[in-house]
Short mmCIF file of all heavy atoms in Angstrom, two decimals:
data_model
loop_
_atom_site.label_atom_id
_atom_site.label_comp_id
_atom_site.label_asym_id
_atom_site.label_seq_id
_atom_site.Cartn_x
_atom_site.Cartn_y
_atom_site.Cartn_z
N GLY A 1305 -9.07 -4.31 15.04
CA GLY A 1305 -8.74 -5.10 13.87
C GLY A 1305 -7.28 -5.49 13.72
O GLY A 1305 -6.90 -6.05 12.69
N LEU A 1306 -6.46 -5.21 14.73
CA LEU A 1306 -5.06 -5.61 14.68
C LEU A 1306 -4.78 -6.73 15.68
O LEU A 1306 -5.27 -6.69 16.80
CB LEU A 1306 -4.15 -4.43 14.99
CG LEU A 1306 -4.10 -3.31 13.95
CD1 LEU A 1306 -3.36 -2.11 14.52
CD2 LEU A 1306 -3.42 -3.78 12.67
N MET A 1307 -3.99 -7.70 15.27
CA MET A 1307 -3.59 -8.77 16.18
C MET A 1307 -2.46 -8.31 17.09
O MET A 1307 -2.35 -8.76 18.22
CB MET A 1307 -3.21 -10.01 15.37
CG MET A 1307 -4.36 -10.57 14.56
SD MET A 1307 -3.97 -12.07 13.63
CE MET A 1307 -2.80 -11.47 12.42
N HIS A 1308 -1.60 -7.43 16.58
CA HIS A 1308 -0.52 -6.83 17.37
C HIS A 1308 -0.45 -5.36 17.02
O HIS A 1308 -0.29 -5.01 15.84
CB HIS A 1308 0.84 -7.49 17.08
CG HIS A 1308 0.94 -8.92 17.47
ND1 HIS A 1308 0.55 -9.94 16.63
CD2 HIS A 1308 1.40 -9.51 18.61
CE1 HIS A 1308 0.77 -11.10 17.24
NE2 HIS A 1308 1.28 -10.86 18.44
N TRP A 1309 -0.55 -4.50 18.02
CA TRP A 1309 -0.40 -3.07 17.76
C TRP A 1309 1.05 -2.73 17.44
O TRP A 1309 1.34 -1.98 16.51
CB TRP A 1309 -0.89 -2.25 18.95
CG TRP A 1309 -0.58 -0.78 18.84
CD1 TRP A 1309 0.32 -0.07 19.59
CD2 TRP A 1309 -1.15 0.16 17.93
NE1 TRP A 1309 0.35 1.24 19.19
CE2 TRP A 1309 -0.54 1.42 18.17
CE3 TRP A 1309 -2.11 0.05 16.92
CZ2 TRP A 1309 -0.87 2.56 17.44
CZ3 TRP A 1309 -2.43 1.20 16.19
CH2 TRP A 1309 -1.82 2.43 16.46
N GLU A 1310 1.97 -3.32 18.19
CA GLU A 1310 3.39 -3.03 18.02
C GLU A 1310 4.17 -4.32 17.93
O GLU A 1310 3.93 -5.27 18.67
CB GLU A 1310 3.88 -2.21 19.23
CG GLU A 1310 5.34 -1.80 19.15
CD GLU A 1310 5.80 -1.10 20.41
OE1 GLU A 1310 5.33 0.03 20.68
OE2 GLU A 1310 6.62 -1.69 21.14
N ILE A 1311 5.10 -4.37 17.00
CA ILE A 1311 6.00 -5.53 16.86
C ILE A 1311 7.41 -4.99 16.69
O ILE A 1311 7.69 -4.24 15.74
CB ILE A 1311 5.61 -6.41 15.65
CG1 ILE A 1311 4.25 -7.08 15.88
CG2 ILE A 1311 6.69 -7.47 15.40
CD1 ILE A 1311 3.76 -7.91 14.71
N GLY A 1312 8.28 -5.33 17.61
CA GLY A 1312 9.66 -4.87 17.53
C GLY A 1312 9.79 -3.36 17.56
O GLY A 1312 10.76 -2.81 17.03
N GLY A 1313 8.81 -2.70 18.17
CA GLY A 1313 8.81 -1.25 18.23
C GLY A 1313 8.14 -0.59 17.05
O GLY A 1313 8.01 0.64 17.01
N TYR A 1314 7.67 -1.38 16.08
CA TYR A 1314 7.06 -0.84 14.87
C TYR A 1314 5.53 -0.90 14.93
O TYR A 1314 4.95 -1.95 15.22
CB TYR A 1314 7.53 -1.62 13.64
CG TYR A 1314 9.01 -1.46 13.36
CD1 TYR A 1314 9.91 -2.46 13.77
CD2 TYR A 1314 9.51 -0.33 12.74
CE1 TYR A 1314 11.27 -2.33 13.53
CE2 TYR A 1314 10.87 -0.18 12.50
CZ TYR A 1314 11.74 -1.18 12.89
OH TYR A 1314 13.09 -1.05 12.67
N GLU A 1315 4.89 0.22 14.65
CA GLU A 1315 3.44 0.32 14.53
C GLU A 1315 3.08 0.30 13.04
O GLU A 1315 3.97 0.44 12.18
CB GLU A 1315 2.95 1.61 15.19
CG GLU A 1315 3.23 1.67 16.68
CD GLU A 1315 2.84 3.00 17.31
OE1 GLU A 1315 2.23 3.84 16.61
OE2 GLU A 1315 3.16 3.20 18.50
N PRO A 1316 1.80 0.13 12.70
CA PRO A 1316 1.42 0.11 11.28
C PRO A 1316 1.91 1.32 10.49
O PRO A 1316 2.31 1.19 9.33
CB PRO A 1316 -0.11 0.06 11.34
CG PRO A 1316 -0.40 -0.65 12.62
CD PRO A 1316 0.66 -0.19 13.57
N LYS A 1317 1.89 2.50 11.09
CA LYS A 1317 2.29 3.73 10.38
C LYS A 1317 3.77 3.73 10.00
O LYS A 1317 4.20 4.57 9.19
CB LYS A 1317 2.00 4.95 11.26
CG LYS A 1317 2.87 5.03 12.51
CD LYS A 1317 2.52 6.23 13.37
CE LYS A 1317 3.40 6.29 14.62
NZ LYS A 1317 3.04 7.42 15.50
N ASP A 1318 4.55 2.81 10.55
CA ASP A 1318 5.98 2.77 10.26
C ASP A 1318 6.31 2.00 8.98
O ASP A 1318 7.49 1.84 8.63
CB ASP A 1318 6.74 2.15 11.44
CG ASP A 1318 6.62 3.00 12.71
OD1 ASP A 1318 6.72 4.23 12.59
OD2 ASP A 1318 6.39 2.44 13.79
N ILE A 1319 5.29 1.53 8.28
CA ILE A 1319 5.47 0.83 7.01
C ILE A 1319 5.33 1.84 5.87
O ILE A 1319 4.40 2.64 5.85
CB ILE A 1319 4.45 -0.31 6.84
CG1 ILE A 1319 4.59 -1.33 7.98
CG2 ILE A 1319 4.60 -0.99 5.49
CD1 ILE A 1319 3.47 -2.35 8.04
N GLU A 1320 6.25 1.80 4.93
CA GLU A 1320 6.25 2.74 3.81
C GLU A 1320 6.42 1.98 2.50
O GLU A 1320 7.35 1.18 2.35
CB GLU A 1320 7.37 3.77 3.97
CG GLU A 1320 7.47 4.77 2.84
CD GLU A 1320 8.67 5.69 2.97
OE1 GLU A 1320 9.52 5.45 3.85
OE2 GLU A 1320 8.76 6.66 2.19
N VAL A 1321 5.54 2.24 1.54
CA VAL A 1321 5.67 1.65 0.21
C VAL A 1321 6.64 2.50 -0.60
O VAL A 1321 6.41 3.69 -0.81
CB VAL A 1321 4.31 1.57 -0.50
CG1 VAL A 1321 4.48 0.97 -1.90
CG2 VAL A 1321 3.31 0.74 0.30
N VAL A 1322 7.73 1.88 -1.05
CA VAL A 1322 8.74 2.63 -1.80
C VAL A 1322 8.82 2.18 -3.26
O VAL A 1322 9.49 2.83 -4.07
CB VAL A 1322 10.13 2.51 -1.14
CG1 VAL A 1322 10.11 3.15 0.24
CG2 VAL A 1322 10.60 1.06 -1.06
N ALA A 1323 8.14 1.09 -3.62
CA ALA A 1323 8.10 0.62 -5.01
C ALA A 1323 6.90 -0.29 -5.18
O ALA A 1323 6.41 -0.89 -4.21
CB ALA A 1323 9.38 -0.13 -5.37
N ALA A 1324 6.41 -0.36 -6.41
CA ALA A 1324 5.26 -1.22 -6.72
C ALA A 1324 5.32 -1.62 -8.18
O ALA A 1324 5.82 -0.87 -9.03
CB ALA A 1324 3.95 -0.49 -6.41
N PHE A 1325 4.78 -2.80 -8.46
CA PHE A 1325 4.78 -3.34 -9.83
C PHE A 1325 3.38 -3.83 -10.17
O PHE A 1325 2.72 -4.46 -9.36
CB PHE A 1325 5.78 -4.50 -9.95
CG PHE A 1325 7.18 -4.16 -9.56
CD1 PHE A 1325 7.60 -4.33 -8.23
CD2 PHE A 1325 8.07 -3.66 -10.49
CE1 PHE A 1325 8.90 -4.01 -7.86
CE2 PHE A 1325 9.38 -3.35 -10.11
CZ PHE A 1325 9.79 -3.52 -8.79
N ASP A 1326 2.95 -3.55 -11.39
CA ASP A 1326 1.67 -4.05 -11.89
C ASP A 1326 1.77 -4.11 -13.41
O ASP A 1326 2.75 -3.64 -14.01
CB ASP A 1326 0.51 -3.15 -11.45
CG ASP A 1326 -0.81 -3.89 -11.38
OD1 ASP A 1326 -1.45 -4.08 -12.44
OD2 ASP A 1326 -1.21 -4.31 -10.27
N VAL A 1327 0.74 -4.71 -14.04
CA VAL A 1327 0.75 -4.83 -15.50
C VAL A 1327 -0.49 -4.21 -16.14
O VAL A 1327 -0.65 -4.26 -17.35
CB VAL A 1327 0.88 -6.31 -15.94
CG1 VAL A 1327 2.20 -6.89 -15.48
CG2 VAL A 1327 -0.29 -7.15 -15.41
N ASP A 1328 -1.38 -3.64 -15.31
CA ASP A 1328 -2.61 -3.05 -15.82
C ASP A 1328 -2.37 -1.60 -16.23
O ASP A 1328 -1.78 -0.83 -15.47
CB ASP A 1328 -3.70 -3.13 -14.74
CG ASP A 1328 -5.09 -2.83 -15.29
OD1 ASP A 1328 -5.32 -1.68 -15.72
OD2 ASP A 1328 -5.94 -3.72 -15.29
N GLN A 1329 -2.85 -1.22 -17.41
CA GLN A 1329 -2.59 0.12 -17.93
C GLN A 1329 -3.21 1.23 -17.08
O GLN A 1329 -2.80 2.39 -17.15
CB GLN A 1329 -3.07 0.24 -19.38
CG GLN A 1329 -4.57 0.23 -19.56
CD GLN A 1329 -4.98 0.38 -21.02
OE1 GLN A 1329 -4.23 0.01 -21.92
NE2 GLN A 1329 -6.18 0.90 -21.26
N ARG A 1330 -4.22 0.88 -16.25
CA ARG A 1330 -4.85 1.88 -15.40
C ARG A 1330 -4.03 2.15 -14.12
O ARG A 1330 -4.34 3.07 -13.36
CB ARG A 1330 -6.26 1.44 -15.03
CG ARG A 1330 -7.22 1.41 -16.21
CD ARG A 1330 -8.45 0.56 -15.96
NE ARG A 1330 -8.13 -0.86 -15.86
CZ ARG A 1330 -9.06 -1.83 -15.82
NH1 ARG A 1330 -10.34 -1.51 -15.86
NH2 ARG A 1330 -8.70 -3.08 -15.73
N LYS A 1331 -2.99 1.35 -13.92
CA LYS A 1331 -2.17 1.47 -12.71
C LYS A 1331 -0.73 1.83 -13.00
O LYS A 1331 -0.11 2.61 -12.26
CB LYS A 1331 -2.24 0.16 -11.90
CG LYS A 1331 -3.65 -0.15 -11.41
CD LYS A 1331 -3.74 -1.49 -10.73
CE LYS A 1331 -5.17 -1.79 -10.29
NZ LYS A 1331 -5.31 -3.12 -9.69
N VAL A 1332 -0.17 1.26 -14.06
CA VAL A 1332 1.23 1.52 -14.40
C VAL A 1332 1.42 3.02 -14.67
O VAL A 1332 0.68 3.64 -15.42
CB VAL A 1332 1.66 0.70 -15.63
CG1 VAL A 1332 3.08 1.09 -16.07
CG2 VAL A 1332 1.58 -0.79 -15.33
N GLY A 1333 2.42 3.60 -13.99
CA GLY A 1333 2.71 5.02 -14.15
C GLY A 1333 1.96 5.92 -13.20
O GLY A 1333 2.26 7.12 -13.09
N GLN A 1334 0.97 5.37 -12.51
CA GLN A 1334 0.18 6.15 -11.55
C GLN A 1334 0.86 6.15 -10.18
O GLN A 1334 1.57 5.21 -9.82
CB GLN A 1334 -1.22 5.55 -11.40
CG GLN A 1334 -2.09 5.67 -12.62
CD GLN A 1334 -2.47 7.11 -12.93
OE1 GLN A 1334 -2.77 7.89 -12.03
NE2 GLN A 1334 -2.45 7.46 -14.20
N ASP A 1335 0.61 7.21 -9.40
CA ASP A 1335 1.04 7.19 -8.02
C ASP A 1335 0.32 6.05 -7.30
O ASP A 1335 -0.87 5.80 -7.56
CB ASP A 1335 0.71 8.53 -7.34
CG ASP A 1335 1.37 8.65 -5.97
OD1 ASP A 1335 0.77 8.16 -4.98
OD2 ASP A 1335 2.45 9.24 -5.89
N VAL A 1336 1.04 5.38 -6.43
CA VAL A 1336 0.45 4.24 -5.71
C VAL A 1336 -0.85 4.63 -5.01
O VAL A 1336 -1.81 3.84 -4.97
CB VAL A 1336 1.47 3.67 -4.69
CG1 VAL A 1336 0.79 2.68 -3.73
CG2 VAL A 1336 2.61 2.98 -5.40
N SER A 1337 -0.92 5.85 -4.50
CA SER A 1337 -2.11 6.31 -3.77
C SER A 1337 -3.35 6.34 -4.65
O SER A 1337 -4.48 6.23 -4.15
CB SER A 1337 -1.87 7.70 -3.19
OG SER A 1337 -1.66 8.65 -4.23
N LYS A 1338 -3.16 6.49 -5.97
CA LYS A 1338 -4.29 6.48 -6.91
C LYS A 1338 -4.51 5.08 -7.49
O LYS A 1338 -5.64 4.66 -7.73
CB LYS A 1338 -4.04 7.49 -8.03
CG LYS A 1338 -4.11 8.94 -7.56
CD LYS A 1338 -3.96 9.89 -8.74
CE LYS A 1338 -4.25 11.33 -8.29
NZ LYS A 1338 -3.40 11.77 -7.17
N ALA A 1339 -3.41 4.36 -7.73
CA ALA A 1339 -3.50 3.03 -8.34
C ALA A 1339 -4.31 2.06 -7.48
O ALA A 1339 -5.01 1.19 -8.01
CB ALA A 1339 -2.10 2.47 -8.58
N ILE A 1340 -4.25 2.22 -6.16
CA ILE A 1340 -4.96 1.27 -5.29
C ILE A 1340 -6.48 1.40 -5.41
O ILE A 1340 -7.21 0.50 -4.99
CB ILE A 1340 -4.55 1.42 -3.80
CG1 ILE A 1340 -4.83 2.82 -3.28
CG2 ILE A 1340 -3.10 1.03 -3.62
CD1 ILE A 1340 -4.59 2.98 -1.78
N PHE A 1341 -6.96 2.50 -6.00
CA PHE A 1341 -8.41 2.68 -6.16
C PHE A 1341 -8.85 2.52 -7.62
O PHE A 1341 -10.02 2.73 -7.94
CB PHE A 1341 -8.82 4.07 -5.65
CG PHE A 1341 -8.52 4.29 -4.19
CD1 PHE A 1341 -7.69 5.32 -3.77
CD2 PHE A 1341 -9.05 3.44 -3.23
CE1 PHE A 1341 -7.43 5.52 -2.42
CE2 PHE A 1341 -8.78 3.62 -1.87
CZ PHE A 1341 -7.96 4.66 -1.47
N ALA A 1342 -7.92 2.15 -8.50
CA ALA A 1342 -8.24 1.99 -9.92
C ALA A 1342 -8.89 0.63 -10.18
O ALA A 1342 -8.65 -0.34 -9.46
CB ALA A 1342 -6.98 2.15 -10.75
N LYS A 1343 -9.72 0.58 -11.22
CA LYS A 1343 -10.31 -0.70 -11.64
C LYS A 1343 -9.19 -1.65 -12.05
O LYS A 1343 -8.14 -1.21 -12.51
CB LYS A 1343 -11.26 -0.48 -12.82
CG LYS A 1343 -12.51 0.30 -12.49
CD LYS A 1343 -13.46 -0.52 -11.64
CE LYS A 1343 -14.78 0.22 -11.45
NZ LYS A 1343 -15.72 -0.54 -10.61
N PRO A 1344 -9.38 -2.95 -11.91
CA PRO A 1344 -10.60 -3.63 -11.46
C PRO A 1344 -10.74 -3.79 -9.96
O PRO A 1344 -11.53 -4.60 -9.50
CB PRO A 1344 -10.46 -5.00 -12.14
CG PRO A 1344 -8.98 -5.26 -12.14
CD PRO A 1344 -8.34 -3.91 -12.35
N ASN A 1345 -9.96 -3.04 -9.17
CA ASN A 1345 -10.09 -3.14 -7.71
C ASN A 1345 -11.51 -2.83 -7.28
O ASN A 1345 -12.14 -1.90 -7.81
CB ASN A 1345 -9.11 -2.17 -7.02
CG ASN A 1345 -7.67 -2.60 -7.19
OD1 ASN A 1345 -7.36 -3.52 -7.93
ND2 ASN A 1345 -6.76 -1.91 -6.50
#
């Protein structure tokens, strides 16, 4: 499912989310790891 495994020496695991913004009360204030599974997703 990847078009490129490595780009410039970077693999998918080398991406890190360090900030996120939303306006839904079920996501704001939540850890990103939980917010991605919150409704209405």
